[in-house]
Amino acid sequence: RVAVLLIADGRPARLAGQLPALRDVDFGGHPWAALVVAAALQAVATGDDARVGELLVSAEDDFGRVGEQRGFGFVAYVRGLGALGRGNLADAAVWWRRACEYLGEDGGPLDERALANLGLAEYHEGNLQGALLITEQALALARRHHNRRAEGMSLLYLGFFSLWAGDFGRADTLLSAARTVYGEISDPFDRAEWPLVEAACGVLHALRRDQPCAEAAFTAALEASENVQTPWFTAMIRALRAEFCAQWEPARSLTDARAAFDFLAGVIGDEWWCRWARRAVAVADMHG
């Protein structure tokens, strides 16, 4: 029950303080324990990729022995999160689709989170209409189940999709709604994606050439990311600030973009956001 709650609510990192004692425990015969420790190791980016893999395989084997379809769905979801953390959205999409197949109507709060992330994967594959449709479904489910974090995630993704589609009015509405949702959530773990909402607002203001509001939003995004200790979000935010604020701060943008790339490539190994950082370097050079 604890494993299901921690994973479904996106909170496996709550086990961070216990990981030194749990990392090398033999969880044979206890697949849910193996799964949640794997999710926690992955969430706090300990670098124990081999151990994460061992625990996930152990959980799959044990779930297979007892025919636990729901367990397979949770394993697939955790594997999808791992692929997302590496910036490999193609692999993530495969795992999230598999999670949805295993979980069916019984996915509970995990269902809308998997759908929201699958919408992101669809966008990455160039299927904007599919991304919008799936993420709208995730938003409707999140609201029906009163899952505020999934609602915030869905609004955030829809806001980004609208930005890239050039629909600034809809993006503004969606991001304002996301700000409201995250503003009503008190648990820091459930507010983890909030810095990206502020960053998206920064992009929107920069595209509208509103320098003061763009700077304020990016500053708020960086401060929020540091407060919730998400250095990978900080790197993403710096990459976005580098590209969209280069028109008035080319020197800072070059520093931002290079720092983001060094972290995303050297520490995280994120494929997708590394491409954003490379492009930001080029944009900063152009304005410099």
Side-chain angles (χ1 to χ4, degrees):
R1 185 170 66 249
V2 171
V4 168
L5 288 173
L6 287 173
I7 294 169
D9 290 348
R11 307 181 190 187
R14 283 196 181 281
L15 292 180
Q18 301 175 51
L19 287 177
L22 294 172
R23 182 178 286 112
D24 300 317
V25 172
D26 181 2
F27 293 106
H30 300 281
W32 286 107
L35 179 57
V36 76
V37 172
L41 287 169
Q42 183 173 269
V44 299
T46 60
D48 293 332
D49 292 342
R51 181 57 175 156
V52 171
E54 291 170 5
L55 290 168
L56 290 174
V57 169
S58 172
E60 282 178 324
D61 289 345
D62 286 337
F63 285 135
R65 276 190 281 274
V66 297
E68 176 81 58
Q69 288 287 106
R70 189 164 179 245
F72 282 138
F74 272 72
V75 171
Y77 180 70
V78 171
R79 287 190 182 277
L81 290 180
L84 175 63
R86 296 188 296 275
N88 188 338
L89 270 79
D91 281 356
V94 171
W95 288 115
W96 286 324
R97 289 188 182 106
R98 199 168 298 177
C100 289
E101 290 170 5
Y102 282 128
L103 294 167
E105 294 297 321
D106 299 323
L110 196 62
D111 193 25
E112 50 258 32
R113 290 173 60 81
L115 275 176
N117 285 327
L118 187 54
L120 186 64
E122 288 284 337
Y123 172 77
H124 179 255
E125 292 171 1
N127 182 7
L128 179 59
Q129 289 307 310
L132 290 168
L133 178 62
I134 290 172
T135 313
E136 291 280 8
Q137 292 173 354
L139 178 60
L141 269 179
R143 286 174 169 167
R144 189 183 312 154
H145 295 156
H146 306 290
N147 185 338
R148 297 295 272 168
R149 183 174 184 184
E151 182 180 356
M153 284 175 56
S154 300
L155 288 166
L156 167 63
Y157 291 165
L158 288 169
F160 264 116
F161 301 159
S162 298
L163 269 179
W164 307 147
D167 190 345
F168 294 172
R170 184 163 191 256
D172 199 347
T173 299
L174 289 162
L175 293 173
S176 295
R179 267 179 162 168
T180 299
V181 169
Y182 282 112
E184 294 171 354
I185 296 173
S186 58
D187 191 323
F189 280 91
D190 287 342
R191 289 165 52 86
E193 294 84 14
W194 175 54
L196 297 182
V197 176
E198 294 301 317
C201 291
V203 171
L204 178 60
H205 291 308
L207 288 169
R208 288 173 165 169
R209 299 186 182 279
D210 186 342
Q211 180 178 349
C213 286
E215 290 287 347
F218 278 119
T219 297
L222 289 169
E223 289 177 354
S225 183
E226 289 168 7
N227 287 339
V228 295
Q229 298 180 345
T230 49
W232 50 97
F233 281 179
T234 298
M236 296 173 192
I237 294 163
R238 292 187 75 176
L240 290 172
R241 185 173 72 169
E243 178 174 351
F244 291 95
C245 296
Q247 54 192 312
W248 58 74
E249 286 283 0
R252 184 191 65 191
S253 287
L254 195 57
T255 299
D256 270 349
R258 286 173 174 166
F261 179 80
D262 289 345
F263 180 82
L264 293 165
V267 179
I268 299 297
D270 186 303
E271 300 170 19
W272 190 21
W273 279 95
C274 276
R275 292 197 288 273
W276 281 86
R278 285 195 195 98
R279 184 170 68 183
V281 170
V283 171
D285 273 336
M286 181 181 69
H287 285 282

